[in-house]
Amino acid sequence: MQDFGESFRLAFALVLSADGDLIEIIGLSLRVSLSAMLISCAIGLPLGASVAISRFPGRSAVMVLLNALMGLPPVVVGLLVYLMLSNAGPFGWLQILYSPAAMIIAQSILITPIIAALSRQVIEDLHNEYAEQFRSLCVPSHVAIGALLWDARYSLLTVALAGFGRAVAEVGAVIIVGGNINHLTRVMTTAIALETSKGDLALALALGLVLMIIALCVNGAVMTLRSTAVKYAYA
Amino acid sequence: MLEATVNLTGQSVADTGRTADVLPVDISDLVFEAGGKRLIDGLTLQLAAGPRTIIMGPNGAGKSLLLRLLHGMIAPTSGDIRWCGMPLSEDIRKRQAMVFQSPVLLRRSVAANVDFVLKLRGKDSATRRLEILDHVGLSGHADQAARLLSGGEQQRLALARALALDPEVLFLDEPTVSLDPASVQMIEDIIQAAHRRGTKIIFVTHDIGQAKRLADEIVFVHRGRVLEQTPASRFFDAPDSEQARDYLAGRIIL
């Protein structure tokens, strides 16, 4: 067990020297979570928009379900994906358990409901504004969905990054389906968990620092973008 | 200040001399109820192609509701609306356009707002967009964000968007409320140009001066019914109904 001061000093040294292992772990984390974010957006945004503009029986039930799924425990998602992808599971033939692909799938499942539920809210607000005009113009619903997604793009970016934040910070799902294998499926959160339990606080702290810096940068980028959008009245 | 001129001839925007063959519209025994209240109460009216129709009446008379029912934005509780004998269909709705009291513009540039409707009707072309923006005096603002325009400019853009559809019937629901006189003048000029091209104008207003400038005929609505449909030349001097007389005289009618 190193003392705290020493750990921080080592952590900064690791970050500043761009340590090879550290970079590899950060790279994989970003690759997995950004891929999961893109997949979730591809599914969640049209889903959220469709629920936002359509009126059908059971709509409230769908909304309650989406909202409830936002709170999916990552370990449960990890377990379910594990069961699906293990050799005995229905998708065992894919042979992707303990690979980045499995981690991307698990994180996508985890954050798709977040993206769908949050975008539903954003799109519905904008739709309330546009609905009468769209009705007057006889805008078909697929065109309306496209227009709403486009015009709400700055708000939706925040939604996407909320999903990314959730994905990059979770540990339960990726550790179960990825297995935290060095140089293969080790990401920031699983490495932090492992290094902390091993007592190597320096690497854990360094990764923790990077994780927080990423979170700060992402939020800063979102704020800048949104204020630009507001300034030009596109949001 | 008029910062742009309106192309009054409007020749470039649409074909001239077109007849509005969705008209006349026959409205019979129209009833609309909401929240247990009968807001349109057995309204019967016929509007022919040609004359500019101004719908007047006190607040809550059902003027805006009548426009919305005609445009198919809401469905009547009972009664019948027939456009040239046909019930309202998507095809007929596409030949109508509506300008609302407060314009709802897309969060995009001025040009993109026009492009959106042009594309919607498969008439996407930069030339046509330019013509339309020029027609409403907004060609200099094409790349600006629509929501940064002034109130008058926003309403002219809404009008441009409606006219881009080349409608046979143009509904206007108090489009110049809260605009300054110069903006009102520009919007009225655009509406007059559309009228000359054969577009049927159905215009709701509270502004008696505006009604005098624009109207060929006045439909006076009170408590969800048509009290009178009178040529404008007669309405302002000698309206048929007592309520219209009171309304014109500035007395509060109940």
Side-chain angles (χ1 to χ4, degrees), chain A residues 126 129-130 132-140 143 146-148 150-151 153 155 231-235, chain B residues 68 71-73 90 93-94 98 100 104-109 116-117 120-121 143 145 147-148 161 165:
Chain A
L126 187 62
E129 189 185 321
Y130 283 2
E132 198 169 45
Q133 186 66 54
F134 277 5
R135 183 152 173 67
S136 168
L137 293 170
C138 300
V139 179
V143 178
L148 289 165
W150 176 250
D151 284 14
R153 60 193 179 281
S155 308
K231 191 167 137 205
Y232 293 106
Y234 286 115
Chain B
R68 280 168 169 72
H71 191 28
M73 305 281 292
E90 172 118 345
R93 292 198 62 226
K94 282 182 176 172
M98 184 151 172
F100 298 89
V104 178
L105 301 173
L106 302 183
R107 298 176 184 193
R108 305 180 187 187
S109 69
F116 180 75
V117 290
L120 206 58
R121 296 290 187 271
D143 298 325
R147 292 152 76 98
L148 291 184
R161 207 170 46 179
L165 302 173

Side-chain angles (χ1 to χ4, degrees), chain A residues 132, chain B residues 27 30 32 39-40 43 45 54-75 81 98-102 171-175 177 202-206 219-225:
Chain A
E132 198 169 45
Chain B
I27 307 153
L30 195 67
F32 180 78
L39 301 169
I40 297 287
L43 187 147
L45 177 69
I54 304 285
I55 302 175
M56 300 189 82
N59 280 330
K63 308 181 296 295
S64 296
L65 269 179
L66 177 58
L67 277 200
R68 280 168 169 72
L69 287 161
L70 285 171
H71 191 28
M73 305 281 292
I74 45 176
I81 299 175
M98 184 151 172
V99 174
F100 298 89
Q101 186 174 331
S102 44
F171 299 108
L172 300 119
D173 188 3
E174 303 190 51
V177 167
I202 302 177
F203 194 121
V204 168
T205 185
H206 275 294
V219 172
F220 190 79
V221 181
H222 183 50
R223 291 187 182 170
R225 289 167 167 273

Side-chain angles (χ1 to χ4, degrees), chain B residues 38-54:
Chain B
R38 189 169 272 223
L39 301 169
I40 297 287
D41 185 14
L43 187 147
T44 296
L45 177 69
Q46 190 186 62
L47 298 174
R52 289 157 295 183
T53 302
I54 304 285

